[in-house]
Amino acid sequence: VIPIVTLLTDFGAGSGYPAQMKGVLLARAPDARLVDVSHEVPAYDVLAGALLLEACVPWFPSRAIHLAVVDPGVGTARRPLCVVDAEGRRLVGPDNGLFTPFLDGARAYALDALPPPASPTFHGRDLFAPAAALLALGAEPASLGPPVPDPLRLPWPRATRDRELVRGEVLTADPFGNLLTSVRAADLPREVASVEVAGRAARWVRTFGEGTPGELLALVGSSGRLEIAVREGSAARALAAPRGAAVVARLVGAG
Amino acid sequence: VIPIVTLLTDFGAGSGYPAQMKGVLLARAPDARLVDVSHEVPAYDVLAGALLLEACVPWFPSRAIHLAVVDPGVGTARRPLCVVDAEGRRLVGPDNGLFTPFLDGARAYALDALPPPASPTFHGRDLFAPAAALLALGAEPASLGPPVPDPLRLPWPRATRDRELVRGEVLTADPFGNLLTSVRAADLPREVASVEVAGRAARWVRTFGEGTPGELLALVGSSGRLEIAVREGSAARALAAPRGAAVVARLVGAG
Amino acid sequence: VIPIVTLLTDFGAGSGYPAQMKGVLLARAPDARLVDVSHEVPAYDVLAGALLLEACVPWFPSRAIHLAVVDPGVGTARRPLCVVDAEGRRLVGPDNGLFTPFLDGARAYALDALPPPASPTFHGRDLFAPAAALLALGAEPASLGPPVPDPLRLPWPRATRDRELVRGEVLTADPFGNLLTSVRAADLPREVASVEVAGRAARWVRTFGEGTPGELLALVGSSGRLEIAVREGSAARALAAPRGAAVVARLVGAG
C-alpha cells in the first residue's frame, strides 16, 4: 500500500518551505503520496491550524500520516511529537496544542531517536519531515522516541447551553468569508428559532441557496459546525466579528 | 493505466475544502493521480471557472477525469452532472453552465445512482468527489444516473465581425494582469492593424517581448484568445476594463 | 525509479498555466511525480526565482528534474536551456540567469532539437514542459540540443568583509516577512556582536523563540543566510528595507 503523507503549515504554498519539506520526504520515502492540506494557516495561529486538521484529517484513510507545522516556538524547549490517535491516525509536529482535537485516547511519543535538526529555525524540514518519512517507510511510532504522557492541549472553544439558549463564539473565517463557530451540530438538539452573532440577527437556513444575496444566514456547515454566511457574499466582511465574538442560537420550544 | 483526476474549485487552495475532497478521492480510489487545475476561481464566478476549464482541460490526456465545483446554487434544485464530451473526456460537477465549452456533441448523466450527499453545502466532497472516484475505478458514466438531455449552457461571449471591425469584450484577468477577451484567433482572418480596449489604443504585437515596458499591447495569447497586456506590468491595473468592456480589432485592408 | 519533476514559475498557482504544463507533462511522461516548488515568484523577478531554486533544489534527490519559468523575455531571442549542474541535477528553463546558482561546473544545452513552440508567449507549456518530459522518459540532456558554453549569469549579490564589518544587502522577504540577505553563514567566521539593517539595530539570536514579540532580530536562517525577523511579526512590514537595503554585521573581537 502506498503511504500518504499530508502537509499543513503556515509557511505559504509559494514560499519554498513546503517544497523543501517535500524534497526531504521524497528523498527518504520515494513512494510516499504527498497531499497538501493547507499552507495558508494564518502565521503562528495554532488554533486555526488545529481546527483545520480537525476538519480535514477524518476524510483521509486512517493509514495516512499527517505532518503539521504551525510552530511559533520553534527552537525553544517545546517538544517535537508523534501522536497516534484513537483511530490509529499518525500526526507529526510540535507539541504546542496543534493536535488537541486528536488527543482523547491517543498515545504520543517525543522524537528523541532522530538526529537533532540541522537548523534551529526549520524543524519542519529537519526533524518533522524525516520523522514522517520514517513512518511512511514503516517505522513504529514508539521507535521514534519515549512516550509523552501529557501532550499540550489548547483551551478548546465549546458551546454552553442554558435551556433554550446555546452560546458560543466565532472561531475562524474561510476564504468565502463564512464564519465558523464553536457551536457544533450536537449542541443543537432541537430546531433553531433564531441566531444572533456580534449583536446582529442571522436567519436560520439549511443551505446557502435558501438565502437572498446579501442576507445574513446561519446554518450547520460541512464541518458540522454552526456557520454564519452571506449568500454569494462574505459574512467576515459584512460583520465586525473577530475570533471570540459572541454567537447565540435560540432553540424552538422551551422543552 | 493510472487514472488522473484534476480539481478546479473556487474554494481557495488553503481552505481545507480541496484537501477534504482529496481525502475522499484517495480513500476510494487510492491509485488516482490528483492534479490541481485551480482553487482560486473568483468565488461563485461560474463563467471564470468555465473559461479556465476550456483553457486547461485540452492539455491533459483525454482519459483524465475533471472534477470542477463552482457552485453558488449548492443545496438547491440544480442537478449534479457527469459530462462526457465529444473527445471522451469526463467532467463531474454542478449543472450550472460550468461545462458549457464541452457540451457540443456531449452526453451527460445525472448522479442519481449515488447516495445523497451528507452535507447540503458541500457536494464537492460528498457527491462529486465520490462520483469522480467511481469513474477513476472504472465505472461507466451511464451507470451514475439517467441521461440529462439538456445540460445548462451559459450565454457564451463571442466576437462579431462587421467588415474590417471585429468586436468583442473583456472576460477575465490572469495573475499577470493580462486581460483575456472573447475574440479568438479564428475571429481574426487577416492581419490586425490596430486594437482598442475600453477606449484606449493597444499596439498589436506577436509576443510580450516586442513591447516597451509600460506599453499597452494586444496579442494572441497562449489560450488562442486576443489578450491585452502590459510588458512587465499589468493591463488590469493600467485600464478600467472590467468584464464586458468593449474590445475592437481593426483588420488591415477592407477586403 | 519514478522520475520527479518540480515546477517553479511566476504564473500564480491558480492561474491555470501551471496546470497546462502539468497536463503536457503527464500526457508525455505519465509516470512522472510532479511537485510544486512555487508558482508565486514575484512576476518577472528572475533573481527571486533563482534564490528560491537555490534554497529548494538541494533538498530533492539529485535525479529530480527542475522545470523553472520566470521569463520576461519569452518570445524574444533569449535561448531555451537545459542545465546539468556539477551534482548531476537537471534544470530546464530560459537562459536569463534563473540558473545562476547552479552554473559553476555545469554543462548546458540549447533546446534546438525540440519542435518550435506553438505559442510565442508560453514556452513553459510548449517548449520547457516537453523538454522536461523527455528527460523524465530518459533522454540525455545532450540530445536536446547543442552545448551552450556561456549561459547567462545574474550579478549575484554577495557580502564583503572589512576586518570586523561584514556588509551585505536585503534580497527578498518570505511570507512571514523575514528578510533574506546576501550575507551567508560562511561570511560570518566569528560570533556576531551586532547587526544593523536599513539603519536600525537588530539583536543577534540563534532562533526566533529567543526574541520578545515585536523585537527586531537577526539570525542565520534555514537557508544558511543571515535573516532579519520579528518574532510573531513581520520584519518586512516593520522596516522600510527593500531589495538592496544595506545590512551590516559586526563580528566580536577585532582579530
Side-chain angles (χ1 to χ4, degrees), chain B:
Chain B
V1 178
I2 299 168
I4 296 171
V5 180
T6 81
L7 296 95
L8 173 139
T9 74
D10 61 350
F11 297 164
S15 66
Y17 301 131
Q20 293 176 44
M21 294 169 68
K22 292 178 186 179
V24 168
L25 286 163
L26 292 176
R28 295 167 187 236
D31 290 333
R33 292 282 303 268
L34 308 183
V35 184
D36 294 310
V37 167
S38 177
H39 299 291
E40 313 306 331
V41 176
Y44 315 117
D45 189 338
V46 179
L47 177 60
L51 288 163
L52 210 45
L53 286 173
E54 184 192 45
C56 294
V57 162
W59 298 98
F60 285 86
S62 62
R63 64 187 169 81
I65 297 154
H66 303 281
L67 176 50
V69 189
V70 181
D71 196 11
V74 63
T76 63
R78 70 98 191 86
R79 294 170 295 195
L81 216 60
C82 172
V83 169
V84 184
D85 85 352
E87 312 287 331
R89 301 171 189 128
R90 291 159 293 174
L91 303 105
V92 174
D95 181 26
N96 62 8
L98 189 55
F99 302 131
T100 303
F102 304 93
L103 292 180
D104 288 345
R107 293 172 290 135
Y109 304 93
L111 306 179
D112 298 356
L114 279 93
S119 161
T121 59
F122 195 1
H123 288 189
R125 180 189 71 195
D126 294 343
L127 178 59
F128 299 128
L134 285 174
L135 295 173
L137 292 170
E140 284 297 322
S143 74
L144 302 180
V148 174
D150 57 345
L152 204 140
R153 283 173 187 259
L154 296 179
W156 201 248
R158 299 189 190 277
T160 59
R161 183 172 156 212
D162 179 11
R163 304 172 61 115
E164 77 271 36
L165 293 184
V166 179
R167 296 173 192 279
E169 61 189 276
V170 169
L171 299 177
T172 55
D174 74 12
F176 291 100
N178 299 334
L179 301 171
L180 276 71
T181 77
S182 65
V183 181
R184 314 235 21 165
D187 298 319
L188 303 169
R190 292 199 307 281
E191 270 299 287
V192 173
S194 64
V195 173
E196 202 173 277
V197 53
R200 283 189 48 193
R203 183 159 70 91
W204 178 253
V205 294
R206 192 177 145 277
T207 181
F208 302 118
E210 294 175 39
T212 53
E215 189 185 13
L216 201 62
L217 307 171
L219 73 175
V220 172
S222 62
S223 61
R225 292 182 176 278
L226 179 69
E227 294 182 16
I228 309 298
V230 168
R231 181 174 172 188
E232 299 185 36
S234 164
R237 274 204 303 274
L239 291 175
R243 179 175 294 171
V247 177
V248 184
R250 179 179 296 268
L251 305 178
V252 293

Side-chain angles (χ1 to χ4, degrees), chain A residues 1 19 63 73 78 87 123 128 138 190 202 214 245:
Chain A
V1 179
R63 65 187 169 81
R78 70 98 189 87
E87 312 287 331
H123 288 189
F128 299 128
R190 292 199 307 281

Side-chain angles (χ1 to χ4, degrees), chain A residues 119-155:
Chain A
S119 160
T121 59
F122 195 1
H123 288 189
R125 179 190 70 195
D126 293 345
L127 178 58
F128 299 128
L134 285 174
L135 295 173
L137 292 171
E140 284 298 321
S143 73
L144 302 180
V148 173
D150 57 345
L152 205 141
R153 282 174 188 259
L154 296 178

Side-chain angles (χ1 to χ4, degrees), chain A residues 33 38 59 174 176 207 222 232, chain B residues 14 17 23 26 30 32 44 74 125:
Chain A
R33 292 282 303 268
S38 178
W59 298 97
D174 75 11
F176 291 100
T207 182
S222 64
E232 299 184 38
Chain B
Y17 301 131
L26 292 176
Y44 315 117
V74 63
R125 180 189 71 195

Side-chain angles (χ1 to χ4, degrees), chain C residues 105-158:
Chain C
R107 294 172 290 135
Y109 304 92
L111 305 179
D112 297 357
L114 279 93
S119 161
T121 60
F122 195 0
H123 288 189
R125 179 190 71 194
D126 294 344
L127 179 59
F128 298 129
L134 285 174
L135 295 173
L137 292 171
E140 284 297 320
S143 73
L144 302 180
V148 173
D150 57 343
L152 204 142
R153 283 173 187 260
L154 295 179
W156 201 248
R158 300 189 190 277

Side-chain angles (χ1 to χ4, degrees), chain C residues 7-138:
Chain C
L7 295 96
L8 173 139
T9 74
D10 60 350
F11 297 164
S15 67
Y17 301 131
Q20 293 176 44
M21 294 170 69
K22 292 178 187 179
V24 169
L25 285 163
L26 292 176
R28 295 168 187 236
D31 290 333
R33 292 281 302 267
L34 308 183
V35 184
D36 294 311
V37 168
S38 178
H39 299 291
E40 313 307 331
V41 175
Y44 315 118
D45 189 339
V46 179
L47 176 60
L51 288 163
L52 209 46
L53 286 173
E54 183 191 44
C56 294
V57 162
W59 298 97
F60 285 86
S62 62
R63 65 186 168 81
I65 298 155
H66 303 280
L67 175 50
V69 189
V70 181
D71 197 9
V74 63
T76 64
R78 70 99 189 87
R79 294 171 295 196
L81 217 60
C82 172
V83 168
V84 185
D85 85 351
E87 312 287 332
R89 300 171 191 127
R90 292 159 293 173
L91 303 105
V92 174
D95 181 26
N96 62 8
L98 188 55
F99 302 131
T100 303
F102 304 93
L103 293 180
D104 288 345
R107 294 172 290 135
Y109 304 92
L111 305 179
D112 297 357
L114 279 93
S119 161
T121 60
F122 195 0
H123 288 189
R125 179 190 71 194
D126 294 344
L127 179 59
F128 298 129
L134 285 174
L135 295 173
L137 292 171

